[in-house]
Amino acid sequence: MSFLPTKSRIAHIVFEHDDRASKNFDLSVLFLILASLFVVILDSEPYLNERYHHEFYILEWVFTILFTIEYSLRLWLSRNKWGYVLSFYGLVDLLAIIPTFLSLFLINTQFLVVIRGLRLLRVVRILKLGRYMREAETLKTALRNSRTKIQLFVGTVLTIVLIAGTIMFIVEGPESGFTSIGVSMYWAIVTLTTVGYGDITPLTPVGKFLSSVIMLLGYAIIAVPTGIVSSELTAVQRKVHHTGNKVCKTCKSRHLDEDSNYCKYCGEPV
Amino acid sequence: MSFLPTKSRIAHIVFEHDDRASKNFDLSVLFLILASLFVVILDSEPYLNERYHHEFYILEWVFTILFTIEYSLRLWLSRNKWGYVLSFYGLVDLLAIIPTFLSLFLINTQFLVVIRGLRLLRVVRILKLGRYMREAETLKTALRNSRTKIQLFVGTVLTIVLIAGTIMFIVEGPESGFTSIGVSMYWAIVTLTTVGYGDITPLTPVGKFLSSVIMLLGYAIIAVPTGIVSSELTAVQRKVHHTGNKVCKTCKSRHLDEDSNYCKYCGEPV
Amino acid sequence: MSFLPTKSRIAHIVFEHDDRASKNFDLSVLFLILASLFVVILDSEPYLNERYHHEFYILEWVFTILFTIEYSLRLWLSRNKWGYVLSFYGLVDLLAIIPTFLSLFLINTQFLVVIRGLRLLRVVRILKLGRYMREAETLKTALRNSRTKIQLFVGTVLTIVLIAGTIMFIVEGPESGFTSIGVSMYWAIVTLTTVGYGDITPLTPVGKFLSSVIMLLGYAIIAVPTGIVSSELTAVQRKVHHTGNKVCKTCKSRHLDEDSNYCKYCGEPV
Amino acid sequence: MSFLPTKSRIAHIVFEHDDRASKNFDLSVLFLILASLFVVILDSEPYLNERYHHEFYILEWVFTILFTIEYSLRLWLSRNKWGYVLSFYGLVDLLAIIPTFLSLFLINTQFLVVIRGLRLLRVVRILKLGRYMREAETLKTALRNSRTKIQLFVGTVLTIVLIAGTIMFIVEGPESGFTSIGVSMYWAIVTLTTVGYGDITPLTPVGKFLSSVIMLLGYAIIAVPTGIVSSELTAVQRKVHHTGNKVCKTCKSRHLDEDSNYCKYCGEPV
């Protein structure tokens, strides 16, 4: 028995999540991703950047090299190499290492920070564990079922935003900061979503009155998406608990209630 | 067979949504509406207006002429001409073209911008497609059912706003920006809806304490409209899914699903 | 048949809402209340007060006299006079007329705030509207049922507010505007309820981090009261639709299901 | 019969909540806790501290001595002394008295204020009464059931915060106040939770557009946790109210209420 693990053993460690070695591998990658993101965040802090620029630079290279090794491993272990490279996770893995190498050739490297931030997406793979996936399924089903209702809702909101923005642009005008319909629409979104920065606020009595109406409207319609998702989740959950999974052997009808003795469609025993 | 389509064919293209030509017509109108709105928004941007004023002017006329052609088409194809002109969509279609023509005669044309914004309402007609309408129906039913409750809620909110506004006007006074009951009520709405601009804020300890109470109240009552809509949507949905009232004549089981042919308990026909 | 209506006819007009005369009476009082509130609000507007002070003064006396007549009518028609005077609406009706009469005697008072407060006391007139609100039953039941849960929730929120306020007072200190635990708690409420005025904001990195945690907490716990009210309303509604109101004549059990043939407790036919 | 109560009688008064003496004891402790917290809050107010420093100091020692007596009592009455000292409430009780004694030896005592604030946790023990506990149970079950969904949700929010923060840091830059990714993430949380202080706001058109998207996203996803908790609470409640699984042996009716003695359909005993 050789000291080095076999390729299939390594593949197991890298791709599976069911024994100790593979779980440790997952945790190490998870730790590396979070640590590298933490360094990116700290590096952007001016006073830390000034002081520890060199240390951050070295750490960044350490992370990049480790991620490169991981990428090579995954590539080597994949049967369908191009399939991996072009898959969603393959691209995310590549984007995790490219910025550092690119920074060797580029001078203006600020936008590379965003790409580094995308490393967070790599966390998703590791969280792809049973427990989370099942729950994500329920959420996804509820969201998919309420998709049309939500589109309708977003359409309504955007209509209100455009009309409210236009009216406030006329009523308040550039003196109050409503310099264009675009800015007015930004204000309308800030108001309707109850964020309320206060960078632009109505100054005239008419503007204040109209704003109040918009706010009460926003307050009222926030109820709608919440209600939609709530009732969808309740429905999905009820279906999961109540609807059976019995199948009629005679007519092949599915989702018969669990307490069925006979198929409700063809009358044959289940 | 003539090259020109018959009048009934044009009517089909304009009014229906079921074949390729009519769908393309819908999409073109949809694109025109959104493009014209986009131009209105950009035109209001001071630095763009300065630079591209001429281009925007020409574009506006192009849109207006195309909308005028569409309006004439619809008028020509309608059997009941006045019925169309005076219908909701007829008026919206007219409002979409009037502002540009009016601007020829008027000097102060700013308020026309609002009317142009109303073009957005034209989008509604095109979205009047099966999928959205069915979902809108559920929402409408839920909102109609909870109308009395929502009126009650709005009444409660306005009562709180009036009383809170009056109290804060007395407590804080003009020095803190609470210059009148009207302004105080505007502040109360800004606070109660959790928008919180920060243009007017309490400065005295008593005012801060009262504001905290109002905020907690707002936080608590935001739950009410959401709860109303949620429970109504749940109820509407339950009714749709869950209407089984069939009774088995043989074993007397009740609440069998409406689509049952046979009793799921005893297997006899319902 | 005398021209003047009988006392019982007047009582009907004043207290009932079921025929034309009584509905007109209701609508007139409703209009008077809203008009008088509108005058109070406008009167507080400095530039309107300056200009129309005299007109507002006359209008105020007109409203007061009309409300006095209404009060006298109700008093005269009530069988239990003291019962009416000391009832909630009796007190509100009295408070609606007292301030104007009191203002005759308080001209030479130095306490302007008292006079101002007195004049604004008229706002309680809005509570007179309560008489016209029915349908509140479902909402009240849901709120009563969820009372304990809401108390628990408010307790949790106040605990978080006290602890967060204390910590932020230590972390940020007076330089950032966190001048005392009281002010810090005010800030915590402003933040937790997502109002976010921005009059006090964290300036230090640690303060910003802690604020972020508090905000996410607030975001998460806003779900709880909403969920409570939603689920209560759903439950109340379900009970209304599902639970019957049949009563067993033998054992006097109530709320038997509508489809009961026999009492589920004693087995006797309903 | 001696004048002094027996040890077991004292234990009853201190630990139980069922007769008059023990309820009075609970209320006294509750009052003491709230009073001591009130003094801590007032003491931090600069102008009160200046004036009444001496009075607050004396009050603080009165509270501490009373709490020390209570602590000694509980310790004396506990069979398992170390068990009490190391229990959650034992530690909270100790933390309630330590700060004042520590302040005798320490000069910089500001951080002791936080520990004093922890006295609030002592209130929890007194509220440990039947009514609240049962409701807290429902809430806890609902929260426990939706734990995975909420973790998933918080993960999603943090991902959005990191990515939005990074992008805004690049787009807006230090001129608009987005001085580092950390600050940008703070801004993203302030925006996404709809708190919206307005201490940092986007100034460029692109930044405003991106912010609008983030706000609408925040507005949309606030629906998700609310929906989760609502549907869980509904599910928990339905289970409690709706567990009828009894079957009538005579007419075979199913889902009879658990408290049925007789079948509601045929009247035979279940």
Side-chain angles (χ1 to χ4, degrees):
Chain A
M1 202 176 176
S2 134
F3 177 75
L4 282 167
T6 62
K7 180 170 174 180
S8 79
R9 177 75 190 122
I10 298 177
H12 186 94
I13 292 171
V14 172
F15 294 127
E16 301 301 324
H17 321 278
D18 53 2
D19 64 357
R20 216 168 142 199
S22 61
K23 275 184 183 166
N24 284 341
F25 179 80
D26 282 352
L27 284 176
S28 315
V29 173
L30 188 61
F31 170 80
L32 272 182
I33 296 169
L34 294 178
S36 82
L37 287 170
F38 200 61
V39 166
V40 170
I41 291 172
L42 291 181
D43 189 28
S44 81
E45 208 70 50
Y47 60 92
L48 290 176
N49 183 297
E50 221 168 86
R51 237 171 164 173
Y52 303 109
H53 184 78
H54 195 63
E55 286 83 346
F56 287 147
Y57 188 79
I58 291 171
L59 271 175
E60 188 52 45
W61 272 107
V62 170
F63 291 131
T64 303
I65 288 162
L66 287 171
F67 286 147
T68 309
I69 293 170
E70 191 213 343
Y71 186 71
S72 314
L73 257 179
R74 286 183 192 275
L75 196 62
W76 173 54
L77 294 166
S78 297
R79 279 182 210 165
N80 178 356
K81 311 261 185 242
W82 278 108
Y84 167 64
V85 171
L86 298 174
S87 73
F88 176 70
Y89 288 118
L91 291 170
V92 169
D93 290 348
L94 192 63
L95 280 172
I97 51 178
I98 277 188
T100 320
F101 290 110
L102 270 183
S103 67
L104 292 178
F105 310 107
L106 294 167
I107 293 160
N108 185 344
T109 57
Q110 205 180 28
F111 75 95
L112 293 176
V113 179
V114 179
I115 303 177
R116 266 186 208 130
L118 290 177
R119 278 176 192 164
L120 193 61
L121 292 178
R122 305 194 63 221
V123 172
V124 177
R125 180 179 17 221
I126 290 151
L127 295 182
K128 229 181 177 175
L129 304 169
R131 198 154 62 97
Y132 289 95
M133 289 317 279
R134 225 182 13 256
E135 294 290 358
E137 236 11 83
T138 314
L139 272 179
K140 254 190 231 162
T141 310
L143 287 175
R144 202 179 315 122
N145 289 355
S146 43
R147 204 187 43 205
T148 328
K149 280 206 210 75
I150 284 177
Q151 281 173 9
L152 213 90
F153 173 75
V154 169
T156 312
V157 166
L158 287 181
T159 309
I160 295 173
V161 163
L162 180 61
I163 292 174
T166 313
I167 293 174
M168 289 300 284
F169 170 60
I170 307 284
V171 167
E172 287 282 334
E175 304 81 39
S176 314
F178 295 79
T179 48
S180 68
I181 294 184
V183 168
S184 271
M185 285 171 71
Y186 161 76
W187 170 87
I189 290 175
V190 168
T191 301
L192 212 58
T193 57
T194 79
V195 170
Y197 283 137
D199 50 351
I200 307 167
T201 52
L203 298 182
T204 66
V206 181
K208 280 182 179 170
F209 177 75
L210 287 173
S211 306
S212 301
V213 173
I214 294 169
M215 277 171 230
L216 287 176
L217 212 67
Y219 198 58
I221 61 176
I222 205 171
V224 177
T226 310
I228 292 168
V229 176
S230 289
S231 81
E232 272 310 327
L233 274 172
T234 306
V236 169
Q237 221 163 31
R238 198 184 309 131
K239 236 173 269 168
V240 171
H241 287 300
H242 277 247
T243 306
N245 271 317
K246 283 197 174 171
V247 178
C248 173
K249 282 162 220 149
T250 314
C251 72
K252 310 294 176 207
S253 297
R254 277 142 194 276
H255 299 302
L256 298 174
D257 295 342
E258 283 298 339
D259 60 350
S260 302
N261 302 322
Y262 297 89
C263 171
K264 66 180 177 179
Y265 298 116
C266 68
E268 293 300 316
V270 185
Chain B
M1 203 176 175
S2 132
F3 176 73
L4 283 166
T6 62
K7 181 170 174 180
S8 79
R9 177 74 190 123
I10 297 177
H12 187 94
I13 291 172
V14 172
F15 294 127
E16 301 300 324
H17 323 277
D18 53 2
D19 64 357
R20 216 168 142 198
S22 61
K23 275 184 184 166
N24 282 342
F25 179 80
D26 282 351
L27 284 176
S28 315
V29 174
L30 187 62
F31 170 79
L32 272 181
I33 296 168
L34 295 178
S36 82
L37 288 170
F38 200 61
V39 166
V40 171
I41 292 171
L42 292 182
D43 189 28
S44 81
E45 209 70 52
Y47 59 92
L48 290 177
N49 182 297
E50 221 168 86
R51 237 174 165 170
Y52 302 110
H53 184 78
H54 195 65
E55 285 84 346
F56 287 148
Y57 187 79
I58 292 171
L59 271 175
E60 188 51 45
W61 272 107
V62 171
F63 291 132
T64 304
I65 288 163
L66 288 171
F67 286 146
T68 310
I69 294 171
E70 191 212 344
Y71 185 71
S72 315
L73 257 180
R74 285 184 192 274
L75 196 63
W76 174 55
L77 294 168
S78 296
R79 280 184 209 162
N80 179 356
K81 311 258 185 245
W82 279 108
Y84 167 63
V85 170
L86 298 173
S87 73
F88 176 70
Y89 288 120
L91 291 171
V92 169
D93 289 348
L94 191 62
L95 280 172
I97 51 176
I98 277 187
T100 319
F101 290 111
L102 271 183
S103 67
L104 292 177
F105 310 107
L106 294 166
I107 293 159
N108 185 344
T109 58
Q110 205 179 28
F111 76 96
L112 293 175
V113 179
V114 179
I115 303 178
R116 266 187 208 126
L118 291 177
R119 278 177 191 163
L120 193 61
L121 293 178
R122 306 194 63 220
V123 171
V124 177
R125 175 169 29 212
I126 290 152
L127 294 183
K128 230 181 176 175
L129 305 169
R131 198 155 62 99
Y132 288 96
M133 288 317 279
R134 223 179 19 252
E135 295 290 358
E137 236 13 82
T138 314
L139 273 179
K140 256 190 229 162
T141 309
L143 286 176
R144 203 179 315 123
N145 290 355
S146 42
R147 205 187 43 205
T148 328
K149 282 205 210 76
I150 284 177
Q151 281 172 6
L152 210 89
F153 172 75
V154 169
T156 312
V157 166
L158 288 180
T159 308
I160 295 173
V161 163
L162 180 61
I163 292 174
T166 311
I167 293 175
M168 288 301 284
F169 171 59
I170 299 183
V171 167
E172 287 282 333
E175 305 80 39
S176 313
F178 294 78
T179 49
S180 68
I181 294 185
V183 169
S184 271
M185 285 172 72
Y186 161 75
W187 169 86
I189 290 175
V190 168
T191 300
L192 212 58
T193 57
T194 78
V195 170
Y197 283 137
D199 50 351
I200 307 167
T201 52
L203 298 181
T204 66
V206 180
K208 281 182 178 170
F209 177 75
L210 286 173
S211 306
S212 302
V213 173
I214 293 169
M215 278 171 230
L216 287 176
L217 212 66
Y219 198 58
I221 60 175
I222 205 171
V224 176
T226 310
I228 291 169
V229 177
S230 291
S231 81
E232 273 309 327
L233 274 172
T234 307
V236 169
Q237 222 164 32
R238 199 185 307 130
K239 236 170 270 166
V240 172
H241 287 298
H242 206 65
T243 34
N245 270 319
K246 281 196 176 172
V247 179
C248 174
K249 280 164 222 149
T250 314
C251 74
K252 312 295 177 206
S253 296
R254 276 139 200 272
H255 297 303
L256 298 173
D257 295 344
E258 283 299 338
D259 60 350
S260 301
N261 301 321
Y262 297 90
C263 171
K264 65 181 179 177
Y265 298 119
C266 69
E268 294 301 316
V270 184
Chain C
M1 203 175 172
S2 136
F3 177 74
L4 283 166
T6 62
K7 181 169 173 180
S8 79
R9 177 74 191 124
I10 299 177
H12 187 95
I13 291 172
V14 172
F15 294 127
E16 301 301 322
H17 321 279
D18 52 4
D19 63 358
R20 216 168 144 199
S22 60
K23 276 185 183 163
N24 282 342
F25 179 81
D26 284 353
L27 283 175
S28 314
V29 174
L30 191 63
F31 170 79
L32 273 181
I33 296 169
L34 294 178
S36 81
L37 288 171
F38 200 60
V39 166
V40 172
I41 291 171
L42 291 182
D43 189 29
S44 81
E45 208 70 51
Y47 60 92
L48 289 177
N49 183 296
E50 221 168 89
R51 237 174 165 169
Y52 302 110
H53 185 78
H54 195 64
E55 286 84 346
F56 287 148
Y57 187 78
I58 291 171
L59 270 175
E60 190 48 45
W61 271 107
V62 172
F63 291 133
T64 304
I65 288 163
L66 288 171
F67 285 141
T68 310
I69 293 170
E70 189 213 346
Y71 185 71
S72 315
L73 258 179
R74 285 184 193 275
L75 196 63
W76 173 54
L77 294 167
S78 296
R79 280 182 210 164
N80 179 356
K81 312 259 185 244
W82 279 108
Y84 166 64
V85 171
L86 297 172
S87 73
F88 176 70
Y89 287 120
L91 291 170
V92 168
D93 288 346
L94 192 62
L95 280 172
I97 51 176
I98 278 187
T100 319
F101 289 111
L102 269 184
S103 67
L104 289 179
F105 308 107
L106 290 172
I107 293 164
N108 295 324
T109 317
Q110 293 295 313
F111 304 106
L112 270 167
V113 183
V114 176
I115 294 180
R116 201 167 58 166
L118 206 60
R119 282 200 297 140
L120 296 178
L121 197 63
R122 284 178 270 156
V123 166
V124 294
R125 281 173 193 167
I126 198 172
L127 294 178
K128 292 179 78 159
L129 293 180
R131 272 206 195 97
Y132 303 99
M133 288 187 178
R134 271 171 310 228
E135 303 277 2
E137 257 344 285
T138 314
L139 272 179
K140 259 191 224 160
T141 310
L143 286 175
R144 202 178 316 122
N145 289 355
S146 42
R147 205 186 43 206
T148 328
K149 281 205 210 74
I150 284 176
Q151 281 172 9
L152 213 89
F153 173 74
V154 169
T156 313
V157 166
L158 287 180
T159 309
I160 295 172
V161 163
L162 179 61
I163 293 175
T166 313
I167 293 174
M168 289 300 285
F169 170 61
I170 308 284
V171 168
E172 287 281 335
E175 304 81 39
S176 314
F178 295 78
T179 49
S180 68
I181 293 184
V183 169
S184 271
M185 285 171 71
Y186 160 76
W187 169 87
I189 289 175
V190 168
T191 301
L192 213 57
T193 56
T194 79
V195 171
Y197 283 136
D199 50 350
I200 308 167
T201 52
L203 298 181
T204 65
V206 180
K208 281 182 179 170
F209 177 75
L210 287 173
S211 305
S212 301
V213 172
I214 293 169
M215 278 171 231
L216 287 176
L217 214 65
Y219 198 58
I221 61 176
I222 205 171
V224 176
T226 308
I228 291 169
V229 177
S230 289
S231 81
E232 272 309 327
L233 273 173
T234 307
V236 169
Q237 221 162 34
R238 200 184 307 131
K239 235 173 269 165
V240 171
H241 288 301
H242 278 248
T243 306
N245 270 318
K246 283 196 175 172
V247 179
C248 174
K249 281 162 220 149
T250 313
C251 72
K252 311 294 176 207
S253 296
R254 278 140 194 277
H255 298 303
L256 299 174
D257 294 344
E258 283 299 339
D259 60 350
S260 300
N261 302 322
Y262 298 90
C263 171
K264 65 181 179 178
Y265 298 116
C266 68
E268 293 301 317
V270 184
Chain D
M1 205 176 174
S2 135
F3 178 74
L4 282 167
T6 61
K7 180 170 174 179
S8 79
R9 176 75 191 124
I10 298 176
H12 186 94
I13 291 170
V14 171
F15 294 127
E16 302 301 323
H17 322 278
D18 53 3
D19 64 357
R20 216 168 143 199
S22 60
K23 274 183 184 166
N24 284 341
F25 179 80
D26 282 351
L27 283 176
S28 315
V29 174
L30 187 61
F31 170 80
L32 273 182
I33 295 169
L34 294 179
S36 82
L37 287 171
F38 200 60
V39 166
V40 171
I41 291 172
L42 291 182
D43 189 29
S44 82
E45 210 70 50
Y47 61 92
L48 290 177
N49 183 297
E50 222 167 86
R51 238 175 165 168
Y52 303 109
H53 185 78
H54 195 65
E55 285 83 346
F56 288 148
Y57 187 78
I58 291 171
L59 271 174
E60 187 53 44
W61 272 107
V62 171
F63 291 131
T64 304
I65 288 162
L66 288 170
F67 286 146
T68 310
I69 294 171
E70 190 213 343
Y71 186 72
S72 315
L73 257 180
R74 286 184 193 276
L75 196 62
W76 173 55
L77 295 166
S78 297
R79 281 182 209 166
N80 179 357
K81 312 259 185 242
W82 279 108
Y84 166 64
V85 171
L86 298 173
S87 72
F88 175 71
Y89 288 118
L91 291 170
V92 169
D93 290 347
L94 192 61
L95 281 172
I97 51 177
I98 278 188
T100 319
F101 290 110
L102 271 183
S103 67
L104 292 177
F105 309 108
L106 294 167
I107 293 160
N108 185 344
T109 57
Q110 205 179 28
F111 75 96
L112 293 176
V113 179
V114 179
I115 303 178
R116 266 186 209 129
L118 290 178
R119 278 176 192 165
L120 193 61
L121 292 177
R122 306 193 63 219
V123 171
V124 177
R125 182 184 9 225
I126 291 151
L127 294 182
K128 231 180 175 177
L129 305 168
R131 197 153 65 97
Y132 289 96
M133 289 317 278
R134 224 180 18 254
E135 295 290 359
E137 234 14 80
T138 314
L139 273 178
K140 254 191 230 161
T141 310
L143 287 175
R144 202 179 316 122
N145 289 356
S146 44
R147 205 186 43 208
T148 328
K149 279 204 210 76
I150 284 176
Q151 281 172 10
L152 213 90
F153 172 74
V154 169
T156 313
V157 167
L158 287 181
T159 309
I160 295 173
V161 164
L162 179 61
I163 292 174
T166 314
I167 293 174
M168 289 300 284
F169 170 61
I170 308 284
V171 167
E172 287 282 333
E175 305 81 39
S176 315
F178 295 79
T179 48
S180 68
I181 294 184
V183 169
S184 272
M185 285 172 72
Y186 161 75
W187 169 87
I189 289 175
V190 168
T191 300
L192 213 57
T193 57
T194 78
V195 170
Y197 284 137
D199 50 350
I200 307 167
T201 51
L203 298 181
T204 64
V206 181
K208 281 183 178 171
F209 178 75
L210 287 173
S211 305
S212 301
V213 173
I214 293 168
M215 278 171 230
L216 287 176
L217 212 66
Y219 198 58
I221 61 177
I222 205 173
V224 176
T226 308
I228 292 169
V229 176
S230 289
S231 82
E232 273 309 327
L233 273 172
T234 306
V236 169
Q237 221 163 32
R238 198 184 308 129
K239 237 172 269 166
V240 171
H241 287 298
H242 205 67
T243 33
N245 269 318
K246 281 198 176 171
V247 179
C248 173
K249 281 163 221 149
T250 314
C251 73
K252 311 295 177 206
S253 296
R254 278 139 198 274
H255 298 303
L256 299 174
D257 295 343
E258 282 299 339
D259 59 351
S260 301
N261 302 322
Y262 297 89
C263 171
K264 66 179 177 179
Y265 299 118
C266 68
E268 293 300 317
V270 184

